[in-house]
Amino acid sequence: MRILLVEDNEDLGEAIERRLRTAGHSVDWVRDGADVVSAAKGEDFDAVALDLMLPNRDGIGLIAELRREKFSAPILVITARSEIDDKVSLLDLGADDYLVKPFDLRELEARLRALIRRTGGKTSSVLALGDLELDLAGLNASVGGKALELGRREFRLLEILLTHAGKVVAKERLMNQLFNFDETVSINALELHISRLRKKLEPARVEIGTVRGVGYVARAVNG
């Protein structure tokens, strides 16, 4: 997932960012409410984790503005218990879920995954193609029931491709979702991960095809 994190508390923000990045997600962290809308419109995010109490802008107003601007990614609100008296209005304005402080970081990640599955029309955390299965909740993969060892970014790359199985995913989108905005990487890094992933998928009835000059597509193959 590529997550927009909106949190002005340094300790909490660092903890969330570290947790999500360790799990293989890309995180863009915004600390000031005034920067949220421009950040959200500038990138292709899978979800937003948004604290309600922010400097210069309040979270409720930001949710309403993002939805007016046709920002469609699910929004998970992070809030203190005293701030959820009007949770119906919060959801009516465009929030998709909320999490009350203090919370377990594992629950935060699980809620974000659930929101993305829900908005994508999926009810299971398992992606399957051919004889390949990818368990997003358990962070494990298998081919024909046998475990497949993947690195953190290999897993994330495969997740993106399987989510859009049969469709070409642009290189630019893969770069944006695979690497954090503050990482200096070239397209060669993506191609290296694709090459490694292809080798590991040789036993599977799945291939990663190249559409020259555009991107990559995951598809099932007979055999």
Side-chain angles (χ1 to χ4, degrees):
M1 295 184 290
R2 186 173 181 85
I3 307 297
L4 176 61
L5 171 62
V6 184
E7 173 60 65
D8 67 313
N9 182 289
E10 288 291 329
D11 291 339
L12 179 57
E14 285 180 4
I16 294 173
E17 182 185 43
R18 183 167 55 249
R19 171 74 193 189
L20 292 175
R21 287 190 175 185
T22 299
H25 309 301
S26 295
V27 181
D28 289 14
W29 180 10
V30 174
R31 296 161 174 81
D32 193 316
D35 300 327
V36 173
V37 175
S38 59
K41 292 168 66 176
E43 297 289 348
D44 186 13
F45 291 102
D46 295 300
V48 180
L50 171 71
D51 196 331
L52 282 186
M53 299 297 291
L54 298 165
N56 298 316
R57 289 290 303 273
D58 71 279
I60 291 178
L62 282 169
I63 294 169
E65 182 173 352
L66 286 171
R67 293 315 189 203
R68 285 196 303 271
E69 295 289 335
K70 309 302 182 184
F71 180 78
S72 60
I75 298 174
L76 174 66
V77 169
I78 301 171
T79 176
R81 185 170 300 277
S82 60
E83 298 165 356
I84 62 170
D85 293 338
D86 199 11
K87 57 181 178 291
V88 174
S89 294
L90 188 68
L91 297 173
D92 283 343
L93 282 170
D96 296 272
D97 197 2
Y98 65 90
L99 193 58
V100 178
K101 301 175 185 178
F103 52 82
D104 190 314
L105 292 175
R106 292 172 298 181
E107 182 179 3
L108 171 72
E109 186 188 358
R111 295 254 192 142
L112 288 169
R113 285 199 308 265
L115 283 177
I116 291 172
R117 290 200 305 271
R118 188 190 309 165
T119 55
K122 297 181 175 64
T123 57
S124 171
S125 65
V126 177
L127 298 175
L129 183 65
D131 56 352
L132 171 67
E133 288 193 352
L134 199 67
D135 183 348
L136 305 183
L139 296 179
N140 56 68
S142 62
V143 174
K146 295 183 179 180
L148 179 66
E149 295 296 326
L150 296 174
R152 178 170 59 89
R153 283 211 166 107
E154 292 168 347
F155 187 96
R156 173 60 181 140
L157 177 57
L158 192 54
E159 176 189 351
I160 299 168
L161 292 171
L162 291 190
T163 299
H164 304 280
K167 299 178 181 178
V168 179
V169 183
K171 290 182 179 181
E172 182 180 359
R173 179 170 185 175
L174 289 171
M175 291 287 290
N176 286 339
Q177 294 189 287
L178 199 62
F179 302 103
N180 295 302
F181 74 100
D182 55 355
E183 292 181 278
T184 303
V185 292
S186 70
I187 195 68
N188 292 336
L190 172 61
E191 292 170 350
L192 178 60
H193 284 297
I194 289 287
S195 176
R196 289 174 175 171
L197 193 53
R198 280 173 169 158
K199 288 184 180 297
K200 292 187 177 183
L201 290 176
E202 285 177 354
R205 296 199 301 271
V206 172
E207 69 175 7
I208 299 175
T210 300
V211 178
R212 191 171 300 278
V214 181
Y216 300 96
V217 55
R219 54 197 170 215
V221 295
N222 296 324

